[in-house]
Amino acid sequence: MSAVQGQDHIKLTTDRLSVEELTALVTSPTSGAISVFIGTTRNNFEGKKVLRLEYEAYEPMAVTELRKICGQIRERWAVENIAVYHRLGCVPLTESSVIIAISSPHRQEGLEAVRFAIDTLKATVPIWKKELYEEGDPSWKENKECSWA
């Protein structure tokens, strides 16, 4: 169902993520919408003060799974370009852990595709999150959407 032959941009990195970089990657004169999801580090979880997050991944499999997600999106929605960047390592408060940007001719396709992308990423991609708290032991977080949880 692809609108045009677009590009997929996938990256796992310890570098700070930039929404401007991803929107530039997906921008196209044939698309009238860019839909974006940004997941950030918040300062609390279940009454605990969070200091930062740390992410680890099985990188070869994570990239393979992200490519599968891009393919599934292209089968379901008319989209052009897709960018999915996920941060690894330490992610301080308020910084982005994941950014997904998708360009499409019209907003509805892009918005639906972005939601599918983040929900499927959390359920299938081998990326693990550890929360570090002001008090108490760090905690590896289980994604409720995850098929192996």
Side-chain angles (χ1 to χ4, degrees), residues 40-121:
T40 61
T41 303
R42 65 178 173 263
N43 68 357
N44 65 86
F45 181 77
E46 295 181 349
K48 297 179 185 176
K49 185 174 180 181
V50 175
L51 300 176
R52 68 182 180 277
L53 300 178
E54 292 180 4
Y55 287 91
E56 291 184 11
Y58 177 44
E59 293 185 48
M61 186 176 175
V63 169
T64 297
E65 291 300 315
L66 291 170
R67 289 199 190 288
K68 285 182 189 176
I69 293 169
C70 291
Q72 292 169 332
I73 288 169
R74 292 187 182 287
E75 289 172 3
R76 296 177 187 203
W77 294 281
V79 302
E80 188 166 355
N81 298 310
I82 302 170
V84 182
Y85 280 23
H86 203 297
R87 187 131 170 222
L88 301 177
C90 179
V91 183
L93 295 177
T94 72
E95 290 190 16
S96 301
S97 301
V98 60
I99 302 177
I100 300 169
I102 300 177
S103 59
S104 55
H106 306 283
R107 70 180 178 273
Q108 190 66 30
E109 293 93 345
L111 290 169
E112 290 174 6
V114 164
R115 181 174 184 145
F116 173 84
I118 189 60
D119 289 348
T120 307
L121 182 156

Side-chain angles (χ1 to χ4, degrees), residues 5 36 84 133:
Q5 186 60 34
V36 178
V84 182
Y133 308 110

